[in-house]
Structure formats: C-alpha cells, structure tokens
Amino acid sequence: MADRGLDCYIIPASDPHQSEYIPACWQFRSWISGFTGSAGTIVVTADKAGLWTDSRYFLQAEKQLKGSGIELMKLKIPHTPEHVTWITTSLPSNATVGIDDRFFSIGMVQYIRDILEESGQHLVTEADILGQVWIDRPEMPSNPVFEHDLKFAGVTRKDKLSSVIGMMKEIKADYHLITTLDDIAWLLNLRSSDISFCPVFISYCLVSLDQTHLFINPDKISGTIAASLANDRVVIHPYESISGYLENLTAGYTIFYAPEKVNHALIQSIPAGVKQKHGMNITTGLKAIKNPIEIEGLKRVMMKDGAAWVKTIHWIKKQLASGKQVSEWSAAGKIAEFRSANPGYQGESFHPISSFGWHGAVVHYSVTEEESLDFKTEGIYLLDSGGHYSDGTTDTTRTITLSTPDSQQKTDFTLALKGTLGVSMLRFPKGTKGFQMDIMARKALWDNGLNYGHGTGHGVGFWLSVHEGPQTIGTSASGYLNISLEPGMVTTVEPGLYREGFHGVRTENMTLVVEDMENEFGTFYRFETLTLVPIDRHLIDKDLLTREETDWINHYHQRVYNCLADLLTPEETSWLKEATQPL
Amino acid sequence: MADRGLDCYIIPASDPHQSEYIPACWQFRSWISGFTGSAGTIVVTADKAGLWTDSRYFLQAEKQLKGSGIELMKLKIPHTPEHVTWITTSLPSNATVGIDDRFFSIGMVQYIRDILEESGQHLVTEADILGQVWIDRPEMPSNPVFEHDLKFAGVTRKDKLSSVIGMMKEIKADYHLITTLDDIAWLLNLRSSDISFCPVFISYCLVSLDQTHLFINPDKISGTIAASLANDRVVIHPYESISGYLENLTAGYTIFYAPEKVNHALIQSIPAGVKQKHGMNITTGLKAIKNPIEIEGLKRVMMKDGAAWVKTIHWIKKQLASGKQVSEWSAAGKIAEFRSANPGYQGESFHPISSFGWHGAVVHYSVTEEESLDFKTEGIYLLDSGGHYSDGTTDTTRTITLSTPDSQQKTDFTLALKGTLGVSMLRFPKGTKGFQMDIMARKALWDNGLNYGHGTGHGVGFWLSVHEGPQTIGTSASGYLNISLEPGMVTTVEPGLYREGFHGVRTENMTLVVEDMENEFGTFYRFETLTLVPIDRHLIDKDLLTREETDWINHYHQRVYNCLADLLTPEETSWLKEATQPL
C-alpha cells in the first residue's frame, strides 16, 4: 500500500463474475482474515484493519478473526457499504483509497467514488495488491467442460444464440457482453465444476451478430466440444484475452451489458468510440422461463428428490425410535446419500441448513461437523436442502417435530405455513410482480405481531445457480422493476419464523407459474407447487387454518403419496401413508 | 414552426409547476385542439397533427376533435410517450423537433432527447411558439394570497422553514429550489385560489440557509402578509425574476431540487459552477406526515363532511320515493350545497364523479350538466366527491342502490368492499410500502377472476391537493422506492369494480396510519379509518364476508352513527339509524 501511495485498501468478497459462490483463487478476503462467511468486506489502513459484516456472522467472525488483528465492525444494515462511510469519517480528506476493480461492478465503483469524492478523497481502481502478496494462492480451477444434454436442456445452443441475437437486433446492439457464469453455461448448454454447488466454468462471453466469442482456458474444452462449438459459430479465445479483444472493438458499434454484473476493470478496455448500452442480460430473461422439456424434467426430479426426503425423514424417526443418535451433520449427510442413489444426481445445490432446536433460529446457519448438534426428542428440526440433477435442481425446506410439539411450536409453524399457502393458492393477473405478492406470505404472521427478516422466494436455475434471478418474491422492489412473474418461471416460496434461542420453522416449496384463466378482466396466472415432500401434520394447528387451506394441504398430501409411493420401500410407503393422511 | 426550422412541435398538457390542474393561461393543448381531457399530448408536423391520449378519453376526444384536423392517436399504454416513438418512425432521421421546455421536467426532456438522438433527430428545447400565436390568451391568475391559520396548520411557517433548513444542512445543500405549488403553500402556511380545486398560488420558492426567496406576483401579497413573511425572513421577488436570480448563484454552492418536478428551462439558468443535487422535495416528505393539530382538524372535518353525505343520500332517497327527479348533476350539486353549510368549507376538492348505472363503469367520468343521466330506480349510483375545509380535505366514494339490487350487483360490490376492508384491517411492520399492500385490496377480486385498472390509494393534502404524494397504494413501485407508510400519513383506500355498459362499484375511505404495537419482531402500524359515511347495507352479500369483516363493518357503522347523529335532523337521524344497523 505504501509503495502504491494508498492510505486505505478495500477487500471485498467477490470475483470478476459476481458469483454467489467464489472459487478459492479469488477468496482474498477469507485468505487475509480467516473469516469464511459469505458476506463481509475488509478495509485496511496503515494502522488498522476492520471486517464489516452483518448480524448473521457476528459470532463466527469473532471466533475466526481472533488473533488476526482485524477488528469486527458490526453492520447496522446488512448489505450496505457502511465501510465506505467509515473511510470518509476516519481518514483525512485527501486520503487515497485503493481497490482492485476486477472485483467490483461498475455500478459499485461509481457509488464508492461518489461518496469518497464528496469528502475530497480519491479512489485508485487498479490496485492489484493481494495477487502479489498471496504466495501459495490456488490456481484458477480448470475442470473440464461437458455438454448439457439436449434431452434435458430442451433447446439447442444454436437456437438459444438465435434468440439472443434476435433480441440484440431489436435493441440495436452489435455485441452482448455476458460475464455471469450461469448465463454463459445456460446459453452454451455447457456445464463444468469450477465452483462449489454451481456447475459452471470460469469464462467470459461476447455474442456478436455473426459469431460468439467464448473466453476460457482452452484446456477445459475437449476436441469434440470445440468442434461442436465451432459448428455453432462459437469461437474459443484464452480467458485472459477478453480485455485485449474489447480494446480492439471498432468505433461506432454498440455493446450491451448488465452494469450491475460486469466488473469495472473490463469496461475500461472498451474504446471510447464504442457505444455502451445498459440493461439486464438477455440470457437472464430467457433462462428464467423454463421450457417444456425443462419443466418435464423438473417434475421428474421432484419425484426422485421427494423420495430421498421421505427416506431421510423416515430414517431419522426410525433411528431415534430405536435409541440411536442422529445429528444435524449426519442427517444432512443422509439426505445427500439418498439423493446420490437417484439417476442423474450431480451433487448438492447448496450447503444444507440442517438445524436442530435453537440452531433453527440462526437463519443462515451452515452446518459443520464441529458445530453439529445431536437431536433430542423434545425439539424440532429444520432442514433446508437441495440437489442438482441433469434434469433439474431442487431447493426444499421442511420442519419436523421429533416428539409431541408444544402449542407455541404448533402456532409458529402453522402461521408460517399459512404464508406458504397464501402465496401458493394465489390467482394473480399477468404483470404481477414478486413485491406485490410477498405480503401473502406474511399476512398471518403480521396479524399476530410476527415477521421474518429474509426474502419470501427466489428463482431457481436448471442445474445451475440455486438462486437465480431476475424474479424474486420479497418486500423490496429494487433491481429490475418491471420483472413480473410469467408462465414457466420457477420460484421458491419460503416464509418462516425464528425465535432466537428457541427454534426456527419454515416450509419451502418450489412453484411453477402456469396460466389459469382469461376473461374481459385480463389473463390470470397461478402457481403449481412442484415440490413433493410431506408437511409435518403434527406441527399443524388445524384451528388456525381456513377450510380452503386444509383442503389444499389434504389435496397436496394425496398427490405427494401418489407420486412417491412407488419409489419407496414398503416400510417407507406405509410411513408416508400415515404422514399424508387428511387433517 | 417554419420560421424556427422545426419539422415537428410537441404540445403537452402541463404547466411550469407540474400541476395536476392547469390554470387557463397555460392550457395550450386545450386551446389549440378543443380537447379538455386531463391527459393527452399533441404533436404537430408540417402536414399532420395528432392527439395521443388513453382509452378513458377516446369518446370525448373524438367528439371534441371533430373538424379540428387533429387526428386521435390511441395510446396503447396510458401515460407513456408513444408519440415520441411515432416521431422517430414517421419523420426523417434529420428532423428537428421543438418543445417549450418550461412545460417539461428535466427528466422528461432527457428522455425525449435520448430517443430522438438515437434516431438521429434533434431536439430544440426553447421553442415558445404558442405564446406568440395565442392572441386572446388569459392572464396569469393573480388572486390574493391569504394566511392558513395556525390553529389549523398546527406548525408555524418559521418552524417549517427551520425543519427544511435543518435537513438541507444534513444533505449539505445551500439552496433548495421548490417549484410545486402545494409544497410552497404548505411551507409558507399560505393559500390562494389560482387553480381550480387546489388552493395554491403561482410561485417559485428558493430556500437558502439564512433566508427564503418567494417569487410571486407582488400584487397578490397584502402589506400585512408581506410584513409577516419578512418577519420570518421570507423575501418577495417578482415571479419572472426566478431565472435571473438562479443565474446569479455563486459557484461552489450546492442547489437541491426534485428533477421530476422542476422544469427544464429553469435549470438552464443555474451556472455551471453551482453543484446540483437531486432528490424528493424536503417539503414533500414533511407535509405527508400530518401533525396532531391537522389530525384533530381532519377528524372534525370527517364529522361535518359525513353529515353532508348522509343528508345527500337521504335527500336522494326521499326525492325518488316521492316521485321527484334526481340526476347525476343535481345530486353532485346537492352534496356541494350541504357541504357549503359546514363551518370552514372552502369548496370542492375535485370535480365530482357522480355516475349512475353504466356511467359508473366509466372510471374517470366527470359529470357535466349536458351528459348528466337521470336516476332510475333499478340502477346503482356511484358518487366520488370531496370538500376542502380550513381544517382539512376529504375524498370519499360511496355506491348506493336505489332499489333492491340484483345478485351480480351485490357480489361485485361486496368483493370490491372486501378490498377496502383488506387494506383497512391490515397490521403491518414499520417500513411497509404501498406496493406491498395493494394486493390486499385486490385479492377477493382476483380470486374471482376480476380486477380494476386504477390505483388503490393516494395521499391527501391538508386543504391542498387532493392527490398528494409521495405515498400511494398501488401495483407500481416506480417513483421514490423507499417511501413507506408512516404514522401521520393519510391515504385513501378505494378499490372498485367496473362492468362496461352496466355499472361501477367502489367504496373509498380516507385512512390514517397509526402505531399499533411493538415487540421483538419490530414495530407494527395499522390504519385508522377517518371517513364517516355509511356503506350501503343493501349492496352487501353477507355470505361473502368473514366474521372479522362483518364485525368491522358493524363496528364502523356504530361509530358513524355515534359521530354523526347530533349533526342531523331527526328525520335524517332515524334514516341513519336504520342504515347503520348491524348486518
């Protein structure tokens, strides 16, 4: 920092592709601090270093930062850049602040620069310091790329490229720069294993009107795939050559990209004469609408994944009944084991939240072998877990009682469940957005002076990111405001309730938007629930349900039984029969 | 146009203050076309002229444009600038388009310029053509300004100015430019009658840290008011001198204003060295939270205004029962007459929607003596009407059956009423926005494949604009996204249902946000319904209501009776007694 004339250096937890899960080679923040939480930024000055993170990570950060000399700075509002405000108030007004702008979106750089300049401070954006001091830094992952079979993808790479190019012509763009890894994997019908829980490969993609440029380590591409790509007019370039390629774009052309996704460094390569247009990645909009083959695959996946769930719950109950130990860790392992027996299984779609008792109230609790609690019979158990399959991805949460629940547990569970039902049973007109319907998940809780602090639902990728935009169901309308829920979109519905120190409850299903009816008042849609896992009847207080809600659950359980019975052992089937009896 | 080298000229329906109701002197669009609808833009080229308006006004526009040579261009999506797209596709790519930028916000000018320049067309922003050709143009209104009495305003002008200046310091602004007339009237505790239905005066206001500059025709200000203003450090300048004053601002200072409200011409006067900051007018946020004196006034107003409603409904029923004629026009006149007997009455707060039978389905139907329908006994009557009083403003809609309603009328009325109740009965956490709760007004309709095409609620000014921001309840999250409903805010709740050619139903109340409870899950608010007018029991299908909804109505009716009985004649009281019986 002194060599570079920097008074301050910001180290974020991000990569050049704005990935949710970050490959080891770019985990600068974890490397320098030991802190492994998903959210948190470090600021280093000549005599001080601090980590800004939110309340989910206070305990973990205190433990992991011990002895590092880095101070825990508690964020008042999660996901806000309070560290930038700290810099403006703690450093002199002529201070120079450094970042490595490959790890910041162009929107974020502008935001930081504005705040600093308001205080007379100065931002240096090309400060690659950590790359030089991190000696034993892991290599960039170079796992092989493989084809996502058309029988699961449903649409060829060629047709996807045609759709993108058609939309580029509509918005008068000559190039579409795509830097988000799931968008590239979706577009090219390719998968790999560069990142945990997300079957993508590190690359950039530049679609032009006559060919597509894929910037990737060429060693990852087999001859067969290279030939197939060439046949679809996809040209391979070395990963690092993207900047040079952009530098040589001809003036007068227009390049289109998503400013909240593209890193600042990359954009500096674009010559001044090239016109830049901003908007959501075209691929993001297209991939959100699952095609009929994908929907068919997903429905198949829900049966085998549901069976793994039933086997797991049955196993837990049986173990405990026979006096054997079950822990958060072993239960999470067990569902992965059952899933792995399913055809097409490709691994977990995220790190499971397997939480017993008071751990259930730690909303983003991430189970580890060390912290794993053993089950006791008086508690309730919350499992949020999902799998990737070649024919689709799942994300399900169930809350399970291990004995007779008390009335508080039943009330809490049922009120949150009414939220899951409130969204699932909704009929809504074309054009309805997620922020409009979020309240249906919270109404029963609000009526009772309760609430939860996370979103209600997120899109789910198809053997891609388990959190996939653009649609969400939540209280916030930030992001792309005109994203409405359209037929073919897959979204989770996952209201919950958390009592610190006691328990957490949540029922999460994946749903598909389908057409419902059309009349002179417009076109109406509804949700079809995809997930097929029984909801614990013992936790339901039927007195809190309306007739329609009870009917919905009974009908749902009937469907769960019919879909799963054939995939289970006789013992499991008879357990499921009992578990899906009408309320 | 030829003299100025213009191929095209755009004539909007707006004034330099972005007013909802436009004074006659700025009604260029109505003058040139004869079209009087509130929304609609004219584009003139050398050989063609068109009026772009939305479906509400198609019939009216066809009638009023007849013989004008101006073609009706039907907007596909209301409130969108489809005329600008038409210009880019209909005129040559080097065409020059003129506007008078005093009538466009700076945001709108930028928007138009971007679209035109994309097509190679050119925008000239200072084309004041109509002012020269409109010979008998009315003078700018110069009605006297009078004080809004402190006993109704609740907070002195001096204290309001202190609050604004305090917030200017927080955001480091040296000047706050305010151009919206209701903001200025609120800030200075002054009223006038320059604009129909809105007691404001044409002016600009520039607040600095040590004094406030009011740009206004000085003839409007009496010596007494001038002295009082001077005492509060408010300096009066001629209205036209605002540009010159802005031109002389010292470089280095910061001016703050709302870019969607300030006209483009004005901003051109600001020297380059003055820093411009954008955001919502500080006054807009402050005036939205009604103070305790205002709330007290409003509650008093609701009683006298409710009495006028009861007298009107009773009068209609009595007239019809005795075989006398009642029309949309006479009923609207009658409520104004009853209101005018109330202390503090200052006039109607908007042009009433007084619509019988099929007219009720014409959502923005504006009654005129010519179009007024006579009442028949088999129909239902919708009246949306409000009054200004020194102690507050009202806006109420009731739907009244004139005989025994049919089951379709009852179902429609009750489903829409459930929407009014759905919002009114809501408990919601601090931070909840209007777009989150809109669905509560629509859920019962959506369940039945029905919907309505207007917003659910709007803020209401205090003896100011009946439509007052920033808060709204609606499907859209555009505008200021972080506006949540806070205690002291007054908002209408007005879901409806409209069957073209048959009838329209709507129940509109004004509500006040109040604190409800606080616990470890946060602070919760609820609505207190302010409006006190009976809801027609004959139109309610009790089978469609939940127990809680029925209780709410019965409790409400009890309150209406208790509050209004003393203000009525014995005959009216006994009618109200009957009308407020429990369901």
Side-chain angles (χ1 to χ4, degrees):
Chain A
M1 283 169 57
D3 284 356
R4 306 285 196 100
L6 300 180
D7 302 300
C8 177
Y9 191 66
I10 305 176
I11 307 167
S14 62
D15 76 5
H17 305 277
Q18 300 285 316
S19 301
E20 181 175 357
Y21 295 100
I22 300 169
C25 63
W26 286 316
Q27 289 191 0
F28 293 106
R29 196 226 44 210
S30 303
W31 168 74
I32 207 166
S33 66
F35 173 65
T36 56
S38 72
T41 302
I42 283 178
V43 172
V44 182
T45 68
D47 54 6
K48 188 181 161 82
L51 166 76
W52 276 256
T53 190
D54 63 77
S55 58
R56 293 177 293 166
Y57 296 112
F58 289 168
L59 283 176
Q60 178 183 342
E62 265 166 26
K63 208 179 292 180
Q64 294 181 328
L65 292 180
K66 197 162 283 177
S68 71
I70 299 170
E71 190 180 339
L72 170 60
M73 307 293 279
K74 297 181 176 182
L75 274 180
K76 285 179 200 74
I77 302 166
H79 310 296
T80 54
E82 291 171 15
H83 57 282
V84 185
T85 319
W86 181 86
I87 293 170
T88 61
T89 54
S90 307
L91 293 187
S93 75
N94 59 350
T96 299
V97 180
I99 61 170
D100 184 339
D101 66 348
R102 293 173 300 165
F103 302 101
F104 292 81
S105 72
I106 59 164
M108 184 50 75
V109 170
Q110 194 52 52
Y111 179 86
I112 295 174
R113 193 193 304 268
D114 284 350
I115 297 182
L116 295 181
E117 288 186 351
E118 179 118 347
S119 303
Q121 296 176 334
H122 180 60
L123 184 69
V124 171
T125 56
E126 290 167 338
D128 170 15
I129 289 183
L130 296 178
Q132 295 169 44
V133 294
W134 188 359
I135 310 295
D136 53 348
R137 182 174 164 204
E139 291 290 312
M140 201 179 290
S142 58
N143 300 321
V145 163
F146 47 92
E147 292 272 3
H148 175 37
D149 198 320
L150 181 61
K151 79 175 176 210
F152 301 125
V155 176
T156 62
R157 163 161 66 229
K158 198 173 189 139
D159 286 345
K160 288 179 176 181
L161 283 167
S162 290
S163 299
V164 169
I165 291 166
M167 293 178 78
M168 286 166 60
K169 286 178 181 162
E170 270 180 42
I171 58 169
K172 295 177 187 163
D174 303 293
Y175 294 96
H176 184 5
L177 173 62
I178 307 175
T179 65
T180 35
L181 304 182
D182 62 340
D183 281 286
I184 300 171
W186 175 84
L187 178 63
L188 300 178
N189 279 348
L190 297 175
R191 298 291 186 270
S192 185
S193 53
D194 283 353
I195 293 193
S196 313
F197 307 117
C198 192
V200 297
F201 43 92
I202 294 167
S203 57
Y204 292 104
C205 185
L206 184 69
V207 184
S208 74
L209 298 178
D210 57 357
Q211 54 184 5
T212 299
H213 305 277
L214 177 64
F215 299 85
I216 188 170
N217 175 352
D219 296 346
K220 296 164 72 80
I221 307 280
S222 71
T224 316
I225 290 181
S228 165
L229 286 171
N231 195 44
D232 292 331
R233 311 179 70 88
V234 180
V235 185
I236 295 169
H237 308 257
Y239 177 72
E240 296 74 15
S241 66
I242 176 79
S243 300
Y245 196 91
L246 292 175
E247 277 164 18
N248 287 312
L249 292 184
T250 311
Y253 282 118
T254 297
I255 187 168
F256 177 80
Y257 61 87
E260 76 286 4
K261 297 296 185 189
V262 174
N263 73 66
H264 182 266
L266 210 52
I267 295 307
Q268 307 316 303
S269 314
I270 300 173
V274 174
K275 197 170 166 192
Q276 302 185 22
K277 265 198 178 182
H278 291 171
M280 187 175 79
N281 278 332
I282 294 172
T283 43
T284 301
L286 292 173
K287 105 174 123 50
I289 309 288
K290 272 49 183 175
N291 66 51
I293 300 292
E294 288 176 323
I295 291 169
E296 203 178 276
L298 262 176
K299 290 186 176 177
R300 208 163 46 228
V301 161
M302 289 299 166
M303 303 223 292
K304 50 193 177 190
D305 202 68
W309 268 92
V310 170
K311 285 170 184 289
T312 305
I313 301 171
H314 172 259
W315 174 84
I316 293 170
K317 301 252 175 184
K318 196 172 166 186
Q319 288 288 105
L320 293 176
S322 61
K324 289 185 191 144
Q325 194 73 279
V326 182
S327 70
E328 294 172 343
W329 185 252
S330 70
K334 201 69 194 175
I335 195 166
E337 181 188 322
F338 281 124
R339 278 199 178 105
S340 67
N342 284 331
Y345 181 66
Q346 302 285 350
E348 293 177 292
S349 57
F350 56 97
H351 190 96
I353 298 172
S354 173
S355 51
F356 176 79
W358 67 271
H359 268 178
V362 184
V363 176
H364 286 263
Y365 175 69
S366 189
V367 66
T368 60
E369 197 159 5
E370 298 71 45
E371 293 195 273
S372 172
L373 293 178
D374 286 335
F375 289 9
K376 294 182 174 52
T377 48
E378 71 275 24
I380 53 178
Y381 171 56
L382 184 155
L383 177 59
D384 186 348
S385 155
H388 282 305
Y389 300 84
S390 319
D391 37 2
T393 293
T394 66
D395 181 0
T396 306
T397 306
R398 286 296 180 269
T399 310
I400 299 151
T401 180
L402 303 178
S403 62
T404 308
D406 62 31
S407 78
Q408 171 86 87
Q409 290 169 338
K410 286 180 73 170
T411 304
D412 284 355
F413 178 81
T414 309
L415 292 176
L417 174 62
K418 281 170 80 80
T420 307
L421 303 183
V423 175
S424 307
M425 294 165 71
L426 195 62
R427 172 187 283 162
F428 56 97
K430 180 178 161 74
T432 302
K433 282 116 186 148
F435 56 74
Q436 288 176 256
M437 61 174 67
D438 176 77
I439 194 174
M440 299 312 302
R442 298 179 197 264
K443 173 82 172 54
L445 295 168
W446 288 2
D447 283 348
N448 290 277
L450 305 168
N451 202 1
Y452 56 93
H454 57 74
T456 294
H458 56 82
V460 180
F462 189 93
W463 190 20
L464 280 174
S465 301
V466 74
H467 298 131
E468 178 181 278
Q471 83 276 17
T472 59
I473 302 176
T475 58
S476 163
S478 61
Y480 292 99
L481 277 190
N482 50 358
I483 295 302
S484 48
L485 289 155
E486 296 294 337
M489 283 188 174
V490 170
T491 307
T492 66
V493 180
E494 48 179 309
L497 183 63
Y498 312 95
R499 290 198 189 263
E500 206 183 321
F502 293 95
H503 60 249
V505 299
R506 184 164 70 244
T507 303
E508 176 187 19
N509 288 330
M510 280 169 57
T511 61
L512 173 71
V513 180
V514 296
E515 302 219 9
D516 184 37
M517 63 179 288
E518 199 173 337
N519 63 20
E520 73 269 33
F521 291 93
T523 301
F524 288 84
Y525 302 147
R526 63 180 172 82
F527 291 109
E528 182 180 329
T529 296
L530 295 173
T531 303
L532 293 168
V533 180
I535 297 163
D536 195 336
R537 296 170 71 258
H538 302 101
L539 278 169
I540 297 176
D541 180 349
K542 202 182 147 186
D543 292 344
L544 296 176
L545 298 181
T546 64
R547 179 76 244 163
E548 292 73 24
E549 289 168 338
T550 303
D551 288 349
W552 191 96
I553 293 170
N554 288 341
H555 183 262
Y556 176 71
H557 273 159
Q558 185 64 51
R559 190 157 71 90
V560 169
Y561 180 81
N562 293 343
C563 291
L564 303 188
D566 288 349
L567 305 171
L568 304 170
T569 66
E571 191 180 306
E572 290 158 350
T573 304
S574 91
W575 179 86
L576 181 62
K577 183 91 195 167
E578 187 62 34
T580 55
Q581 285 300 302
L583 293 174
Chain B
M1 284 167 59
D3 284 355
R4 305 283 197 101
L6 301 179
D7 301 300
C8 178
Y9 192 66
I10 305 177
I11 307 167
S14 62
D15 75 6
H17 305 276
Q18 301 286 317
S19 303
E20 180 175 0
Y21 296 98
I22 300 169
C25 62
W26 286 316
Q27 289 193 1
F28 293 106
R29 195 227 44 212
S30 301
W31 168 73
I32 207 167
S33 67
F35 173 66
T36 57
S38 72
T41 301
I42 283 179
V43 172
V44 182
T45 69
D47 54 6
K48 188 181 161 82
L51 165 77
W52 276 257
T53 191
D54 63 77
S55 58
R56 292 176 292 165
Y57 295 112
F58 289 168
L59 283 176
Q60 177 182 345
E62 265 166 25
K63 210 180 290 179
Q64 295 182 325
L65 292 179
K66 197 161 282 175
S68 71
I70 299 170
E71 192 180 338
L72 169 61
M73 308 292 279
K74 297 181 176 182
L75 276 177
K76 287 181 198 73
I77 303 167
H79 309 295
T80 55
E82 291 172 14
H83 58 282
V84 185
T85 319
W86 180 87
I87 293 171
T88 62
T89 53
S90 309
L91 293 187
S93 75
N94 59 351
T96 298
V97 179
I99 60 170
D100 183 340
D101 66 348
R102 294 173 299 165
F103 303 100
F104 293 80
S105 73
I106 61 164
M108 183 50 74
V109 170
Q110 194 52 54
Y111 180 87
I112 296 173
R113 194 194 304 270
D114 285 350
I115 296 182
L116 295 180
E117 287 186 352
E118 179 117 345
S119 303
Q121 294 175 334
H122 180 60
L123 184 68
V124 171
T125 55
E126 291 166 338
D128 170 13
I129 289 183
L130 295 178
Q132 295 168 44
V133 294
W134 188 358
I135 310 295
D136 54 347
R137 185 175 162 203
E139 291 291 311
M140 201 178 292
S142 58
N143 300 320
V145 164
F146 47 91
E147 292 273 4
H148 175 37
D149 198 321
L150 181 61
K151 78 174 179 214
F152 301 126
V155 177
T156 63
R157 162 162 66 228
K158 196 172 189 142
D159 287 346
K160 288 180 177 180
L161 283 166
S162 290
S163 299
V164 169
I165 290 166
M167 294 178 77
M168 285 166 61
K169 286 177 181 163
E170 271 181 41
I171 58 171
K172 295 177 187 163
D174 304 293
Y175 293 97
H176 184 5
L177 174 62
I178 307 174
T179 65
T180 35
L181 303 183
D182 61 341
D183 281 286
I184 300 172
W186 175 85
L187 178 63
L188 300 179
N189 280 348
L190 298 175
R191 299 291 186 269
S192 185
S193 53
D194 283 354
I195 293 192
S196 313
F197 307 117
C198 193
V200 296
F201 43 92
I202 293 168
S203 58
Y204 292 105
C205 185
L206 184 69
V207 184
S208 74
L209 298 179
D210 57 357
Q211 53 183 5
T212 299
H213 305 276
L214 176 63
F215 299 84
I216 187 169
N217 176 352
D219 296 345
K220 296 163 73 79
I221 308 279
S222 71
T224 316
I225 291 181
S228 166
L229 287 170
N231 194 45
D232 292 332
R233 309 178 72 88
V234 179
V235 185
I236 295 169
H237 306 255
Y239 176 73
E240 294 73 16
S241 67
I242 175 80
S243 301
Y245 196 91
L246 293 174
E247 276 164 19
N248 287 313
L249 292 183
T250 311
Y253 282 118
T254 297
I255 186 168
F256 177 79
Y257 61 87
E260 76 285 6
K261 297 295 185 188
V262 174
N263 74 66
H264 182 267
L266 210 52
I267 295 306
Q268 307 317 302
S269 314
I270 301 173
V274 174
K275 196 170 167 192
Q276 302 186 22
K277 266 200 176 179
H278 291 173
M280 187 175 77
N281 279 333
I282 293 173
T283 42
T284 301
L286 293 174
K287 101 172 125 52
I289 310 288
K290 271 48 181 177
N291 66 50
I293 300 293
E294 288 176 323
I295 290 169
E296 203 178 277
L298 262 174
K299 289 185 177 176
R300 210 164 44 228
V301 161
M302 288 299 167
M303 304 223 291
K304 51 192 176 190
D305 202 68
W309 269 93
V310 169
K311 286 170 183 289
T312 305
I313 300 170
H314 172 260
W315 174 83
I316 292 171
K317 300 254 176 184
K318 196 172 165 186
Q319 288 288 103
L320 293 175
S322 61
K324 292 186 189 141
Q325 194 75 280
V326 181
S327 70
E328 295 172 343
W329 185 251
S330 69
K334 202 69 195 175
I335 195 165
E337 180 188 323
F338 281 124
R339 277 196 179 111
S340 66
N342 284 331
Y345 181 65
Q346 301 286 350
E348 293 177 293
S349 58
F350 57 95
H351 190 97
I353 298 174
S354 173
S355 51
F356 176 78
W358 68 271
H359 267 177
V362 182
V363 176
H364 286 263
Y365 175 68
S366 188
V367 65
T368 58
E369 197 160 3
E370 297 72 45
E371 292 195 274
S372 171
L373 293 177
D374 286 335
F375 289 9
K376 294 183 173 53
T377 49
E378 72 273 25
I380 54 180
Y381 170 56
L382 184 155
L383 176 60
D384 186 347
S385 156
H388 283 305
Y389 300 84
S390 318
D391 38 1
T393 294
T394 67
D395 180 0
T396 306
T397 307
R398 285 296 181 267
T399 311
I400 299 150
T401 178
L402 303 179
S403 61
T404 307
D406 63 32
S407 78
Q408 172 85 87
Q409 289 169 339
K410 287 180 74 170
T411 304
D412 285 355
F413 178 81
T414 310
L415 292 175
L417 174 62
K418 281 171 79 81
T420 306
L421 303 183
V423 175
S424 306
M425 294 166 70
L426 195 62
R427 171 187 285 161
F428 56 97
K430 182 177 159 71
T432 302
K433 282 118 187 148
F435 56 74
Q436 288 176 256
M437 60 175 67
D438 176 78
I439 193 175
M440 298 313 302
R442 298 179 197 265
K443 172 83 171 51
L445 295 168
W446 289 1
D447 283 349
N448 290 277
L450 306 168
N451 203 1
Y452 56 92
H454 57 74
T456 293
H458 56 82
V460 180
F462 188 94
W463 189 21
L464 279 175
S465 300
V466 75
H467 298 130
E468 178 183 278
Q471 84 276 15
T472 58
I473 303 176
T475 58
S476 163
S478 62
Y480 292 99
L481 278 188
N482 51 0
I483 294 303
S484 49
L485 288 156
E486 298 294 337
M489 282 188 174
V490 169
T491 308
T492 65
V493 180
E494 48 179 310
L497 183 63
Y498 311 94
R499 291 200 188 260
E500 205 184 322
F502 293 96
H503 59 251
V505 298
R506 181 162 75 244
T507 303
E508 175 188 20
N509 288 331
M510 278 168 58
T511 61
L512 172 72
V513 179
V514 296
E515 302 220 9
D516 185 36
M517 62 179 289
E518 197 171 341
N519 62 21
E520 73 269 33
F521 292 94
T523 302
F524 289 84
Y525 302 148
R526 64 180 171 81
F527 291 110
E528 182 181 328
T529 296
L530 295 173
T531 302
L532 293 168
V533 180
I535 297 163
D536 194 338
R537 297 168 71 259
H538 303 101
L539 278 169
I540 297 176
D541 181 348
K542 202 182 149 186
D543 292 345
L544 296 177
L545 298 182
T546 64
R547 180 74 243 163
E548 292 73 23
E549 289 168 339
T550 302
D551 288 348
W552 191 96
I553 293 170
N554 288 341
H555 183 263
Y556 176 71
H557 272 159
Q558 184 65 51
R559 191 157 69 91
V560 169
Y561 181 80
N562 293 343
C563 291
L564 304 189
D566 288 349
L567 305 171
L568 304 169
T569 66
E571 188 180 309
E572 289 159 352
T573 305
S574 91
W575 178 85
L576 181 63
K577 183 92 193 165
E578 186 62 33
T580 55
Q581 284 300 301
L583 291 174

